[in-house]
Amino acid sequence: MTEQQLAGIDWLADSHQVARQLIGVTLLVNGVGGRIVETEAYDRDDPASHSFTGPSQRNLAMFGPPAHAYVYLSHGIHWCLNFVCREAGHGAGVLIRALAPEQGLAQMMTRRGTQDVRKLCSGPGKLAQALGVTRALNNAPLDAPPFVLLAPAEPVEVVAGPRIGISKAVEMPWRFGLAGSTNWSRPFR
DNA sequence: CTTAGGATCGCCT
DNA sequence: GGCGATCCTAAGC
C-alpha cells in the first residue's frame, strides 16, 4: 500500500541515504513532473540545515512525521520542496533540487514562461514553480494526492558532491545526482 | 564562460 | 534590522 505509493523508500534512514534513494524516483504533483535527478540532504546536527537551531515557525514541518512535504520560501521569491525523513521530531529532510521533465510539459512551460525544457526543473525554485508547489503543500503527506512517487524500474547510478548555495558545512558531500543527467542545476565535479 | 547585483519577504536575533 | 538550501540578466574576459 503506502510502501508502493512511497516508491519503496526507507524514510527512517539517514537523510543522505534517503536523498540517494530518491534519485531516479518519479515525482508527480497533480500529474505534472518527472524523474528526480538532483537532491540534497539536511539533518538536525547539520549547521547548513534549517532545523539546526531547533523547531521554529518556518521549519516545523521538518520536525513532523516522515514522508511529508516541507515547503519554504527562499529569498522572498522562490518556493522550495523538501521531503521529511527520519522519525517524527528528528528534524531531517531532503531538498528536491531538479528533475527531468516528463509529464505535463505544456503546463510546466506555461508556469515557467519558457519553452526551453532545460530551464523547466533544473533548480529547486524552478522545479517548485513548474510543478505548482507552494506553501499550500507544506506538511502534506507524500502518499496521497496531489503527490505521486514511483520507484525507478531499474537501479540507477548516483554521483555525489558538495551542496550548493550554503555558507556552513560547505564540504559535506550531501548533494546527489543521477549520473549523466542533462537536467542538473549545476554540474557535479 | 564567469561574475556581480538586484528582486523581494518571512523568519529569526 | 539582517539575511537567506535562488534565479535572472547584464557586463566583463
Side-chain angles (χ1 to χ4, degrees), chain A residues 60-79:
Chain A
L60 199 55
M62 285 189 81
F63 292 88
H68 282 58
Y70 163 47
V71 181
Y72 71 93
L73 186 62
S74 178
H75 288 76
I77 303 173
H78 306 286
W79 296 105

Side-chain angles (χ1 to χ4, degrees), chain A residues 141-178:
Chain A
L142 301 179
D143 63 349
F147 287 108
V148 171
L149 268 62
L150 302 170
E154 301 173 3
V156 298
E157 184 180 346
V158 177
V159 294
R163 294 174 290 184
I164 292 177
I166 56 176
S167 57
K168 300 168 184 173
V170 293
E171 294 303 324
M172 202 76 83
W174 278 5
R175 176 181 179 230
F176 302 92
L178 179 65

